[in-house]
Amino acid sequence: MLRSGENSASLPPSNLPPLAGTISLATLIEFMLQRTYQELTIMAELLPRKTDMERKIEIFEFASRTRQMFVRLLALVKWANSVSKVEKCARMSTFLDQQQDLFIETADSLARMARETLVHARLPSFALPCAVDVLTTGTYPRLPFCIKEKIVPPDLITPTEKKQTLERLTQIIEYRIVSAELPAQMCNPKIGNGRVKFTVDHEFEVTLTLMGDDPNIPWRLLDIEILVEDPETGCGQSLVHSLQVNYIHQLVQSRLMENDKPLHELYDCLHSFCQSLQLEVLHSQAQVLIHQRGLGESLKIEKYEMGRRLCISYWRDTIKKEGKPYQPGYKLEVHVDPGDKNKPLQLSHLPQIQGSESIKVPQAIKNDCLSLEKFFVSTIQVRSLARLKDLERELRLTVVGKCEIKDLPVVLYIPLLTPCLGSEKLSVTVDMIRGCFLVSLAQRELPLTREIEDCLNSDKKDLKKLLTNLRYWVMLERCRQSLQQMPVECYDELPFVKLSGHHLEALGKHCLYVSLPMRLDYYLVVEVVMPAEKGLKKPSYNYYLLNVQAEGIEAEGAATASSSSADEGTSGGFRAVDRNDLPQLFLRPGQILKLDPFAMTRGQCGKVVSFESEDSSHLSRKRKLLMGNQCDVESAKSKRSHESTYFVSELTHIVALCEDKLSFVALDGELTKREIPHTGAFVDGEGTSMALSLLNGLPCSGISKKVEELLKSNLLLCTFRIQRKEKAIWCVENVFTNHPIKSTNTHEQGPEHQVLYHYDRLSMEPIEKTVNRLTADWNCVCRLFAAVVEFSEVYKDNAELQKTIEVKSYNYRHLVLGYGPQKCFTVTVQFSHSEQKFRLSFATVGPSPMSNCHTVVSTYLEKDLNSTKSLIHLSKILTRTCSVLMSICKLNNSPVTWLKLHMVPMQVFTILPVSSMHFRIMYRNLQCVDIQCISSSEVSVRDGSYSVFDTSRVNEGITPISGLQSFLSLFVDESNTANQARRRMTADDDNPLSPVVTDSMDSFLASSSNPPSVARNMIIAPSPSNMMAPSPGNPALLVPSSPSSFVPVPSPGSLGMHLPSPGAAAFMPGSSGMVDSGGSPYPGSSGLVMPSPAARTWPGSPIVHVSPASRIGMAPSPGHPSLQASPSQHKDVDHSNKMVGRMLPQRPWTTLVPSILSHDALDKLLTPVPTASTGRGIGGSLSCSPLEKFLGCTFLKRYMQRILSSDDGITNLPVSNEPGVLMFKFTCGLQCRLFMNPATFQSLCLKVLPIADLPNQWDSEELVILEKFFEYKVDCIPYKQNPLLAFTTILKTPYHILKDLIQIMRMEMMPDRSFKWSVQWCLTLPTHLPNMAPVGSVAVTIINNRILFILQFTRTAAGVNPQQPNDPQTITVPILYDITTNVTSTIDQKTMNHQIIVNFLKNCMDYHVKQNNECSILPCVREFATNFTV
């Protein structure tokens, strides 16, 4: 006993064995969980085979039982937790009992040892051999056998012994099998490996063996496998639970131990179980069909006895029979054969199936197909076949033709007509679920078929009448199908009014109304006549043509019509009109005409369709012999019948004939009304169609009587026909002969030419519109014919015109002329009746260098053609302007941005035609070049900014072009020099020269000292208002040093020396400086007679004024001065100090005197040529015409003048003796000189020199770098203003900063291959940095002592890392330099490498720049290009 003061530590341990009659709580919980899991498993396997209610009951009982068990467990657990004292007492009692048992066992062991063991105990001798074995070999082989047998297991038998044993056992089993009596179903055993296997197909499979060779030893059952399956509801699972299999195993084993015929008992037991299982499977399938398939109304389980029988009734729907509902009583019973239980389950049918169909249903269930649904399907098919055969026997006297029963499920096909298509046969089948008849016709839901179905399922009294009505419907359906490809509509009835006493009432009820598409006031009525009516032998059709009129009915009239219709009944195809259901439009029947199908289908030229008669009197002798001797009448009919009975060919022919005939009647009336002679409608050809011909064509207007008579004499035929392809249209055929002009088209080489016109035939459109359209088309033919006749008279005799113009096609509707290089350009001439003028269409054919260039002047060419009505004039204009327009169309017309502050894109060149031979070319909406064709090989080119009427003012919005004539003089051919001189002589006659003595020519002549050869090449310069424009083609140059003096000066090209400007040597030191300010071509000298009009402000929008003086053939205005430019006068020029000069008028006359260029020279001027790529990242080469280069340079030069006038950081320097030259200087000590290249006028030259105060501050190499940088980065395509502004911003930087920037330019112009990155300036903002400013903005700015510029670094071959091929190849870095702190950094940008660039520049500042105390831009850029890595 424990003392009261003893603590819990002295208690016995808790792992003592439990008391007797107790169980562990954990074990109890485990047992309860196992039991619950087992019950759930059994329910999951058995519940799917039970009904829904049974499953619910089982689940409820399981839940209730399990809940009670776990409630008890909960109470037990609560109680166990509250009895701690009882637990302590139990532990102490258990501990004391263990101690007592140990004491007793110890005493008993000692007493047994003293009494038994120690009495015979002896000391054994020392086991020396064993010790030696252990010490030497490490083993103990001398273990006693008594210990070895108890501890060491015996050795296994060898495979040979196993094989021998199994072979012997197999022999014993074979003997027992041979000597025993086997059931008939188990006569094919499989013996092997000491066991035998019996298999009964689709029932079971057992494996037996014997435990010895004694004949009395019973069979031992090793395994049982049930082979019964449920493929539909069992989901492939086993139908027998493992516990059931174990029970059957024990039962069968007990029967084998106690029976004289154990194998028979084995079969009987398992066969009975399998049949019961099969019945259970069929019963579960029936439950599924009834409850889950929704067949509860048709199927019912009448009786089910487990293991004995299953009876199911089907076709239980209530139908009408003699007015009383009844149950058909069709049953299917599955039962065990009472006579022989070893047979499979038997099938019985109630009522029994009679006749030949009885052998088609199975009498027993095949175990391999245990499906109740298949049994029902096969049974219902046989039942349906029997019912359809009974119906077929009843219809033999009613139906014309032979009924057929075929298909699966079986269908009875009833022919309605003879012959009959498959789609026209009435299909009758039996509903497999309800057992009633189902009727259909070509899968259509018709009211008639529904009535026939109800009749078949009832007393069948009106079946014959319903079948007759269905035959009528089929006949009318044939008509509908025959007309479905025609543009007609079929109606079963029409809303007729005022029908009393009309012939429509005499027609039958089965009629079809066919509307004619082109005539809404006519209907074709088709009446069906059956053989039983009017004594006919076969069904036929009657055709009527009905004229109707649309009529609206008021309430009173509707009431009258309603009452009259109610009295007369609804006969025919019409119905009574209800007053409350009145449509808006009714039809009043008019005249009705019965048509004769025989006469309409057999025209005057032969029969279209034929109908064979049963009478053979009209047949030939050979046909009679064939019918009488060789074949019967039916075969003869089939041989001579070629038309399809199902296609009503006569109906389609009648509809088409009525439609065509009515259309031609309307056309005949319209032509007669207009007094146009015609032949009337007639049958064309071999009866294929109808036609109507005009006898003398149509009247035409707008041409002479002679041309009209010629055209009508050439017209051979003008015929109307109706053509049908997708829809019916009018086809008018015109046939002409004596073609007025020969074309190169192969289809127009014959003696006759066919012209077809097609017009739509709309139902709502009157025939007058068709005749009007034909008249309009004929008028177009006449107008074009008159122009072609006039053209052909000149074209046939003009060989030169035939070389330049080719007639490609003329088909009386349009004329196609080919011209240009290889006749690749075409112009199509046709006359538009709606606009009453000729229209031109330009295109290309074959390989063409460009699109048709005359498209831009098509409006003016049409205007010229309509005013002159002459194709000869049009041909001359096309020939003369073709090469000119081809050259003009080569100009760049792509849009260019960055031209204005608003970043608005505009075209580089815009072509503005003034007339068909006069064109203006706008450059960037600022400058204008005027081009006019003056001959077949020459054009005149001038500045288009000046008004023709008032030469003292400039057209608003257009800037004059400085130096245009000097530039054009480079393209003047020698052949045009004389023509140019003659033009200027004409101008000189109006403005003769005034004799003025020159005072200061001696020094100039002495300094020039020109040889005679040079003097002959001099040209005469124009007025000082255009210093850069010498007169092209003149052999001498007179350049004035003042407005009243002229001196001879050598041409820059003839002297062979480089001059900064073509007119630089012409100005004396005493003359005032002339600077081209604001883009004006006028000098700013106060000594000029005419002040420069360019000082005014020019608006941005270009306005081109077209004046009459710019038209073709008009000479310049009188009073224009010109120079004496004939060669004879140049030979007699006296180069002395006293010469005869001329007093110029007070206007810029040189701008109105055009430069004469040949077509080749113009093409050279306007044709783009490849230009080397610039350094702005544009790869490859760009094409640019010389004119674009010249105008681009003038644009940049003018913008530079604006910069000089507006920027305070640049000092403008006056130029005294060099017009057209800009001089300016910067605070950094540089003086720049900007002028046009005098050799080509296609580039700007920038000369940079140090100022005189600081001659040694700049190296010559640095100055050359600036000049080259300007050439490659600023003066280049596309001549933008922002790069020029950025370049001037660079030059405005301080001296020490500009030094570094020039070195960066040097790195770009002369890259070092050892650098990892090549450097490139970005004068405008690239696309990589769109967030900073708009793309194309100025990329170099100076704000608040900070300089921002952008450099682009491109990876070179030395910087490529093969291990990282995905590294970026180009990096754009915005460089920000602070002048006050000498810090180079970058701005914040959202790029991937931004932080790396920031850190790199910071390191450069720390380790390189601050130590040397120099400008940090160049060291940072050089370090970046050398060592930067991503």
Side-chain angles (χ1 to χ4, degrees):
M1 295 293 294
L2 293 174
R3 294 187 296 269
S4 60
E6 193 174 6
N7 54 13
S8 61
S10 61
L11 293 177
S14 61
N15 56 356
L16 296 177
L19 298 177
T22 61
I23 186 173
S24 173
L25 181 61
T27 305
L28 177 62
I29 295 174
E30 183 178 359
F31 286 168
M32 294 175 67
L33 293 176
Q34 289 180 356
R35 178 182 175 182
T36 305
Y37 176 74
Q38 184 180 8
E39 291 181 355
L40 283 174
T41 306
I42 295 174
M43 289 176 60
E45 295 179 356
L46 297 181
L47 287 183
R49 303 184 182 90
K50 297 183 179 181
T51 62
D52 184 64
M53 183 57 67
E54 292 177 352
R55 286 198 296 267
K56 292 179 180 179
I57 294 173
E58 290 291 338
I59 293 173
F60 177 77
E61 292 178 352
F62 166 75
S64 177
R65 184 171 59 253
T66 306
R67 181 177 178 275
Q68 292 178 2
M69 181 174 61
F70 279 96
V71 167
R72 294 173 184 173
L73 177 62
L74 179 61
L76 180 61
V77 170
K78 290 182 179 180
W79 175 83
N81 290 335
S82 62
V83 288
S84 58
K85 295 180 180 180
V86 176
E87 183 181 0
K88 291 180 182 179
C89 293
R91 289 171 58 190
M92 288 187 291
S93 177
T94 302
F95 177 73
L96 293 177
D97 291 340
Q98 289 180 355
Q99 294 297 326
Q100 182 180 0
D101 292 340
L102 289 176
F103 290 149
I104 294 173
E105 185 179 0
T106 302
D108 292 343
S109 298
L110 292 175
R112 190 182 305 108
M113 185 182 300
R115 297 172 184 173
E116 298 177 3
T117 306
L118 295 179
V119 174
H120 304 285
R122 299 289 187 274
L123 181 65
S125 59
F126 297 102
L128 295 178
C130 294
V132 172
D133 291 337
V134 171
L135 294 175
T136 57
T137 63
T139 60
Y140 189 67
R142 302 176 185 274
L143 186 68
F145 286 101
C146 59
I147 301 175
K148 183 177 182 181
E149 291 175 357
K150 293 182 179 180
I151 298 176
V152 180
D155 297 334
L156 299 176
I157 62 176
T158 62
T160 304
E161 294 174 348
K162 289 182 180 180
K163 184 177 180 181
Q164 292 175 358
T165 303
L166 293 177
E167 289 177 355
R168 176 58 182 163
L169 186 58
T170 301
Q171 294 175 359
I172 296 172
I173 293 174
E174 290 176 351
Y175 171 74
R176 289 284 294 271
I177 292 296
V178 171
S179 60
E181 181 180 356
L182 298 178
Q185 290 78 6
M186 298 173 57
C187 293
N188 294 321
K190 295 181 180 179
I191 305 173
N193 293 329
R195 62 184 66 188
V196 60
K197 181 182 292 186
F198 295 98
T199 303
V200 178
D201 294 338
H202 305 289
E203 288 192 7
F204 61 86
E205 181 180 270
V206 295
T207 304
L208 304 175
T209 187
L210 293 174
M211 304 306 294
D213 55 356
D214 190 354
N216 297 324
I217 294 178
W219 289 97
R220 175 62 63 86
L221 180 61
L222 299 180
D223 185 25
I224 297 178
E225 183 177 359
I226 304 300
L227 303 181
V228 179
E229 296 179 353
D230 185 5
E232 296 184 3
T233 61
C235 301
Q237 298 180 0
S238 177
L239 301 179
V240 185
H241 195 266
S242 59
L243 296 178
Q244 294 175 326
V245 175
N246 293 336
Y247 174 77
I248 296 173
H249 189 284
Q250 296 176 4
L251 178 63
V252 173
Q253 183 64 49
S254 64
R255 299 288 180 90
L256 291 176
M257 299 286 291
E258 303 173 355
N259 204 296
D260 296 339
K261 294 182 179 180
L263 298 181
H264 283 274
E265 189 67 22
L266 169 69
Y267 174 76
D268 293 340
C269 182
L270 294 179
H271 177 67
S272 176
F273 175 76
C274 290
Q275 283 191 339
S276 300
L277 186 59
Q278 290 174 353
L279 282 175
E280 181 66 26
V281 169
L282 295 177
H283 179 263
S284 63
Q285 291 179 359
Q287 294 287 349
V288 171
L289 291 176
I290 293 174
H291 298 288
Q292 298 183 9
R293 299 284 186 88
L295 301 179
E297 297 181 357
S298 300
L299 297 179
K300 182 180 179 182
I301 300 176
E302 299 290 343
K303 188 176 182 181
Y304 174 57
E305 298 179 6
M306 296 184 62
R308 295 185 61 187
R309 69 179 63 229
L310 174 64
C311 182
I312 303 174
S313 62
Y314 58 95
W315 284 1
R316 301 179 66 255
D317 289 349
T318 302
I319 60 176
K320 295 181 180 180
K321 185 176 182 181
E322 296 180 357
K324 298 180 180 179
Y326 79 105
Q327 295 291 339
Y330 293 100
K331 296 181 181 180
L332 175 65
E333 184 175 350
V334 184
H335 59 87
V336 179
D337 192 347
D340 188 1
K341 296 183 179 181
N342 293 332
K343 290 184 178 181
L345 295 176
Q346 302 296 308
L347 291 176
S348 299
H349 301 277
L350 295 176
Q352 294 184 359
I353 301 176
Q354 304 294 333
S356 59
E357 287 78 13
S358 60
I359 62 176
K360 298 180 180 180
V361 294
Q363 302 298 325
I365 290 182
K366 296 181 180 180
N367 295 331
D368 58 342
C369 183
L370 195 63
S371 175
L372 184 65
E373 186 176 359
K374 292 183 179 179
F375 298 153
F376 272 116
V377 169
S378 59
T379 302
I380 290 174
Q381 288 178 356
V382 174
R383 293 281 190 189
S384 302
L385 179 60
R387 295 195 64 187
L388 292 178
K389 284 186 177 181
D390 295 341
L391 179 62
E392 189 265 341
R393 285 192 293 268
E394 295 178 7
L395 295 176
R396 286 179 181 176
L397 299 178
T398 305
V399 178
V400 180
K402 184 178 180 181
C403 300
E404 295 180 350
I405 299 178
K406 57 183 179 179
D407 297 339
L408 190 68
V410 290
V411 181
L412 173 63
Y413 294 98
I414 304 174
L416 300 174
L417 300 171
T418 304
C420 188
L421 282 176
S423 60
E424 297 176 345
K425 293 182 179 180
L426 186 66
S427 303
V428 181
T429 184
V430 178
D431 191 348
M432 298 185 64
I433 297 177
R434 297 185 294 118
C436 57
F437 288 108
L438 299 178
V439 180
S440 64
L441 180 64
Q443 291 78 38
R444 295 186 181 183
E445 289 292 337
L446 301 175
L448 278 176
T449 57
R450 179 62 63 184
E451 294 177 6
I452 293 174
E453 181 178 317
D454 296 339
C455 182
L456 289 176
N457 291 322
S458 59
D459 53 2
K460 305 178 184 177
K461 288 184 178 180
D462 298 331
L463 182 60
K464 183 177 180 181
K465 179 181 178 181
L466 294 174
L467 291 178
T468 303
N469 292 336
L470 190 59
R471 291 190 186 97
Y472 280 112
W473 184 89
V474 172
M475 292 286 290
L476 294 178
E477 185 63 20
R478 286 184 178 181
C479 297
R480 295 188 188 94
Q481 297 297 326
S482 301
L483 297 175
Q484 66 179 353
Q485 300 299 331
M486 300 184 69
V488 297
E489 295 183 3
C490 301
Y491 303 95
D492 294 330
E493 56 185 16
L494 292 176
F496 288 126
V497 294
K498 299 182 181 181
L499 196 61
S500 177
H502 198 272
H503 292 288
L504 284 176
E505 294 182 336
L507 300 182
K509 295 188 298 183
H510 304 282
C511 294
L512 185 68
Y513 298 89
V514 182
S515 65
L516 300 178
M518 296 295 109
R519 299 302 299 266
L520 299 181
D521 53 345
Y522 284 93
Y523 284 89
L524 180 67
V525 184
V526 183
E527 180 189 14
V528 181
V529 181
M530 280 297 170
E533 304 176 12
K534 302 181 182 181
L536 299 178
K537 296 183 179 180
K538 61 179 182 179
S540 62
Y541 299 97
N542 291 335
Y543 303 98
Y544 303 89
L545 184 62
L546 175 64
N547 183 18
V548 297
Q549 293 180 0
E551 181 175 341
I553 300 181
E554 298 179 355
E556 297 179 358
T560 305
S562 178
S563 60
S564 61
S565 299
D567 297 336
E568 297 170 5
T570 56
S571 62
F574 51 89
R575 57 182 176 86
V577 180
D578 189 5
R579 181 174 181 179
N580 298 325
D581 188 21
L582 285 176
Q584 295 296 326
L585 187 66
F586 291 87
L587 298 177
R588 184 178 65 182
Q591 184 180 3
I592 184 170
L593 175 65
K594 186 175 181 180
L595 304 178
D596 186 4
F598 183 86
M600 297 190 70
T601 55
R602 294 166 175 83
Q604 57 183 356
C605 299
K607 58 185 179 181
V608 177
V609 295
S610 62
F611 299 92
E612 299 293 344
S613 174
E614 294 182 0
D615 188 7
S616 60
S617 60
H618 64 285
L619 299 178
S620 62
R621 180 175 179 274
K622 182 178 180 180
R623 178 65 70 181
K624 291 180 180 179
L625 291 176
L626 176 64
M627 295 177 60
N629 301 329
Q630 299 181 7
C631 60
D632 54 4
V633 176
E634 295 295 332
S635 61
K637 287 183 180 179
S638 62
K639 287 185 178 181
R640 69 172 180 265
S641 179
H642 298 286
E643 68 276 358
S644 174
T645 309
Y646 319 111
F647 179 76
V648 188
S649 57
E650 65 176 5
L651 174 61
T652 58
H653 183 74
I654 290 174
V655 170
L657 186 61
C658 290
E659 177 187 349
D660 294 350
K661 187 67 176 177
L662 293 175
S663 300
F664 276 102
V665 168
L667 179 62
D668 190 343
E670 181 64 22
L671 294 177
T672 304
K673 178 181 178 182
R674 300 192 181 195
E675 299 180 355
I676 299 176
H678 58 88
T679 61
F682 61 91
V683 179
D684 188 19
E686 297 295 330
T688 56
S689 62
M690 299 187 67
L692 185 147
S693 297
L694 302 182
L695 298 178
N696 196 24
L698 293 170
C700 53
S701 60
I703 60 176
S704 62
K705 199 67 176 179
K706 179 180 178 182
V707 176
E708 181 180 0
E709 293 177 356
L710 177 62
L711 177 61
K712 290 185 177 181
S713 64
N714 294 343
L715 178 64
L716 298 180
L717 181 67
C718 181
T719 306
F720 285 82
R721 293 183 180 89
I722 295 178
Q723 180 179 347
R724 287 181 174 86
K725 289 184 179 179
E726 296 180 355
K727 59 181 180 179
I729 59 175
W730 284 108
C731 179
V732 182
E733 179 188 12
N734 295 324
V735 180
F736 295 91
T737 187
N738 298 328
H739 211 46
I741 191 169
K742 185 177 182 182
S743 65
T744 58
N745 192 341
T746 56
H747 299 286
E748 300 175 1
Q749 303 302 322
E752 297 180 356
H753 298 273
Q754 184 186 45
V755 181
L756 298 178
Y757 292 98
H758 298 90
Y759 306 104
D760 293 335
R761 295 176 60 207
L762 303 178
S763 59
M764 303 302 296
E765 185 177 84
I767 195 64
E768 292 85 353
K769 292 187 178 181
T770 302
V771 178
N772 291 337
R773 287 197 294 265
L774 177 63
T775 305
D777 291 338
W778 179 257
N779 190 22
C780 295
V781 170
C782 296
R783 300 292 287 272
L784 182 61
F785 181 79
V788 171
V789 169
E790 179 185 357
F791 175 74
S792 63
E793 293 176 356
V794 180
Y795 184 79
K796 294 177 182 178
D797 301 331
N798 195 332
E800 183 179 357
L801 183 60
Q802 294 178 5
K803 292 180 181 179
T804 57
I805 299 295
E806 176 185 342
V807 181
K808 291 186 175 293
S809 174
Y810 173 62
N811 59 1
Y812 290 90
R813 288 191 291 187
H814 57 260
L815 172 68
V816 181
L817 302 177
Y819 62 96
Q822 299 179 358
K823 307 301 183 294
C824 62
F825 296 150
T826 62
V827 56
T828 302
V829 185
Q830 57 185 356
F831 189 82
S832 174
H833 179 76
S834 60
E835 301 176 3
Q836 285 296 313
K837 65 178 183 178
F838 287 98
R839 296 304 303 269
L840 301 179
S841 300
F842 295 93
T844 60
V845 59
S848 174
M850 61 177 65
S851 60
N852 199 313
C853 55
H854 283 92
T855 306
V856 296
V857 293
S858 59
T859 304
Y860 295 97
L861 291 174
E862 287 182 0
K863 182 178 180 181
D864 293 343
L865 178 60
N866 287 288
S867 61
T868 61
K869 303 294 189 298
S870 174
L871 294 176
I872 297 296
H873 180 70
L874 175 65
S875 302
K876 291 181 179 180
I877 295 178
L878 293 177
T879 306
R880 181 174 297 181
T881 59
C882 180
S883 60
V884 177
L885 285 175
M886 286 180 63
S887 302
I888 293 176
C889 290
K890 294 179 182 179
L891 290 174
N892 181 17
N893 59 355
S894 59
V896 177
T897 56
W898 314 304
L899 297 179
K900 292 183 181 261
L901 296 177
H902 301 291
M903 309 298 292
V904 178
M906 59 184 64
Q907 287 185 337
V908 178
F909 285 101
T910 304
I911 303 174
L912 303 176
V914 180
S915 67
S916 57
M917 300 182 65
H918 187 189
F919 324 103
R920 287 184 176 178
I921 302 174
M922 291 294 299
Y923 176 73
R924 299 189 179 183
N925 292 350
L926 297 176
Q927 298 170 326
C928 178
V929 178
D930 189 279
I931 300 177
Q932 185 171 356
C933 300
I934 59 177
S935 67
S936 60
S937 60
E938 293 179 343
V939 295
S940 63
V941 183
R942 71 176 185 89
D943 188 355
S945 61
Y946 292 95
S947 173
V948 179
F949 300 101
D950 186 4
T951 57
S952 62
R953 78 176 176 87
V954 181
N955 291 326
E956 185 179 359
I958 305 178
T959 305
I961 306 174
S962 175
L964 177 62
Q965 289 192 349
S966 300
F967 169 69
L968 294 177
S969 64
L970 302 177
F971 296 89
V972 175
D973 297 339
E974 295 181 358
S975 59
N976 295 330
T977 304
N979 296 334
Q980 182 81 353
R982 284 194 297 269
R983 280 180 169 269
R984 295 182 182 256
M985 287 174 61
T986 305
D988 286 343
D989 294 338
D990 298 330
N991 297 275
L993 296 176
S994 300
V996 179
V997 179
T998 59
D999 298 330
S1000 56
M1001 292 292 106
D1002 296 336
S1003 59
F1004 183 80
L1005 293 175
S1007 61
S1008 59
S1009 63
N1010 297 322
S1013 60
V1014 175
R1016 284 194 298 268
N1017 294 327
M1018 296 178 183
I1019 62 176
I1020 298 177
S1023 169
S1025 61
N1026 196 354
M1027 298 75 62
M1028 304 296 293
S1031 177
N1034 293 338
L1037 174 63
L1038 293 178
V1039 182
S1041 59
S1042 66
S1044 60
S1045 62
F1046 293 86
V1047 293
V1049 190
S1051 173
S1054 61
L1055 293 176
M1057 57 184 293
H1058 176 72
L1059 295 179
S1061 175
F1067 294 89
M1068 300 303 296
S1071 62
S1072 60
M1074 302 177 185
V1075 180
D1076 189 6
S1077 62
S1080 173
Y1082 301 96
S1085 172
S1086 60
L1088 294 177
V1089 178
M1090 176 70 183
S1092 173
R1096 61 189 298 181
T1097 303
W1098 305 102
S1101 59
I1103 301 177
V1104 180
H1105 299 278
V1106 181
S1107 62
S1110 61
R1111 295 186 179 273
I1112 301 174
M1114 296 186 66
S1117 301
H1120 288 179
S1122 61
L1123 300 179
Q1124 303 296 330
S1126 62
S1128 60
Q1129 291 175 346
H1130 294 307
K1131 293 180 181 180
D1132 300 333
V1133 174
D1134 184 10
H1135 303 283
S1136 63
N1137 57 351
K1138 296 182 183 289
M1139 310 190 52
V1140 177
R1142 59 177 287 184
M1143 180 64 66
L1144 298 179
Q1146 297 183 3
R1147 61 179 178 178
W1149 62 272
T1150 55
T1151 59
L1152 291 179
V1153 176
S1155 298
I1156 307 302
L1157 301 181
S1158 65
H1159 288 184
D1160 294 337
L1162 181 66
D1163 185 70
K1164 182 179 179 182
L1165 175 66
L1166 303 181
T1167 301
V1169 295
T1171 306
S1173 62
T1174 63
R1176 290 195 296 266
I1178 304 176
S1181 60
L1182 298 174
S1183 296
C1184 185
S1185 62
L1187 179 62
E1188 183 178 356
K1189 293 180 182 179
F1190 168 73
L1191 296 178
C1193 293
T1194 58
F1195 172 76
L1196 292 179
K1197 182 180 174 184
R1198 184 180 304 104
Y1199 187 72
M1200 188 64 200
Q1201 290 176 339
R1202 296 181 182 179
I1203 295 176
L1204 295 178
S1205 61
S1206 60
D1207 196 340
D1208 298 335
I1210 307 176
T1211 304
N1212 188 11
L1213 301 178
V1215 182
S1216 61
N1217 57 350
E1218 292 181 310
V1221 177
L1222 302 179
M1223 293 188 66
F1224 46 89
K1225 68 177 181 178
F1226 297 90
T1227 57
C1228 60
L1230 292 178
Q1231 179 179 347
C1232 300
R1233 183 166 168 266
L1234 182 65
F1235 57 93
M1236 190 80 73
N1237 188 349
T1240 62
F1241 289 94
Q1242 299 179 23
S1243 62
L1244 289 176
C1245 296
L1246 179 67
K1247 298 299 181 182
V1248 184
L1249 297 173
I1251 59 179
D1253 299 340
L1254 302 172
N1256 299 324
Q1257 190 174 4
W1258 295 94
D1259 296 336
S1260 59
E1261 182 183 3
E1262 295 174 339
L1263 303 180
V1264 171
I1265 290 175
L1266 280 175
E1267 295 174 358
K1268 292 295 183 182
F1269 187 80
F1270 175 84
E1271 178 182 355
Y1272 287 104
K1273 301 288 286 189
V1274 179
D1275 182 29
C1276 57
I1277 305 173
Y1279 300 101
K1280 300 183 296 184
Q1281 61 197 32
N1282 287 339
L1284 179 60
L1285 184 59
F1287 181 76
T1288 57
T1289 305
I1290 293 175
L1291 296 180
K1292 289 191 298 182
T1293 57
Y1295 164 76
H1296 64 288
I1297 298 175
L1298 183 57
K1299 284 275 188 178
D1300 284 12
L1301 298 182
I1302 292 176
Q1303 292 303 318
I1304 296 176
M1305 297 178 187
R1306 183 181 183 278
M1307 294 173 63
E1308 178 180 358
M1309 306 299 292
M1310 294 176 287
D1312 191 346
R1313 296 183 179 180
S1314 62
F1315 287 175
K1316 294 182 179 180
W1317 303 85
S1318 62
V1319 185
Q1320 188 176 9
W1321 274 86
C1322 294
L1323 298 181
T1324 57
L1325 191 67
T1327 57
H1328 309 292
L1329 304 172
N1331 297 326
M1332 296 179 57
V1335 177
S1337 302
V1338 179
V1340 181
T1341 57
I1342 302 176
I1343 302 176
N1344 298 330
N1345 292 329
R1346 290 187 178 184
I1347 303 175
L1348 174 64
F1349 58 94
I1350 299 175
L1351 298 179
Q1352 181 174 324
F1353 296 88
T1354 304
R1355 193 184 297 274
T1356 61
V1360 175
N1361 188 1
Q1363 298 179 357
Q1364 297 180 355
N1366 295 328
D1367 287 349
Q1369 301 299 318
T1370 302
I1371 299 176
T1372 304
V1373 182
I1375 303 296
L1376 181 62
Y1377 175 73
D1378 194 338
I1379 300 176
T1380 58
T1381 60
N1382 192 21
V1383 175
T1384 301
S1385 61
T1386 182
I1387 63 175
D1388 187 12
Q1389 52 178 333
K1390 298 179 181 180
T1391 58
M1392 181 176 58
N1393 303 317
H1394 172 66
Q1395 192 60 38
I1396 301 176
I1397 297 173
V1398 171
N1399 296 335
F1400 186 85
L1401 293 177
K1402 185 177 180 181
N1403 294 334
C1404 292
M1405 294 296 301
D1406 294 340
Y1407 295 103
H1408 298 281
V1409 179
K1410 292 184 178 180
Q1411 297 177 3
N1412 300 327
N1413 195 17
E1414 58 182 358
C1415 182
S1416 61
I1417 297 179
L1418 181 60
C1420 290
V1421 173
R1422 184 183 293 112
E1423 183 67 19
F1424 193 98
T1426 306
N1427 299 321
F1428 180 75
T1429 56
V1430 179

